[in-house]
Amino acid sequence: KVPLTLISNGGSTTVTIGDGPSGKSALKKFVNIGAGVTTITVGSGASKFANGTTVALAQHAVAELIWTGAIWVLTNQATSGTVPALTVA
């Protein structure tokens, strides 16, 4: 089973995730079904997120993150029409 987080806010929000299991891999999926942008951050700081420091998830977008045993890695770069659905900063 893949942990799935459905985000359904009326406006922008932030979701903070912690480290995955020590020495093991893990997978998380986030789906923004709300009206605003969802920003995903890693509680441990930028050193635990391979692609940057945050992921901004547009409405109706999906983000998939893999824990390598030491760091989170964003695995998808989706778009919605011509606008990026995911923005990594």
Side-chain angles (χ1 to χ4, degrees):
K1 292 183 180 181
V2 175
L4 176 64
T5 302
L6 295 175
I7 304 151
S8 181
N9 278 19
S12 296
T13 189
T14 299
V15 174
T16 301
I17 60 173
D19 292 352
S22 180
K24 298 181 181 179
S25 62
L27 178 67
K28 287 186 181 252
K29 285 191 178 191
F30 298 87
V31 181
N32 184 4
I33 59 174
V37 172
T38 296
T39 302
I40 301 170
T41 64
V42 177
S44 303
S47 64
K48 295 287 184 165
F49 189 45
N51 304 83
T53 57
T54 63
V55 174
L57 190 58
Q59 183 181 28
H60 306 300
V62 177
E64 183 176 76
L65 297 169
I66 293 178
W67 176 253
T68 66
I71 195 166
W72 286 105
V73 178
L74 179 67
T75 64
N76 60 321
Q77 290 290 336
T79 58
S80 176
T82 59
V83 179
L86 297 171
T87 305
V88 179

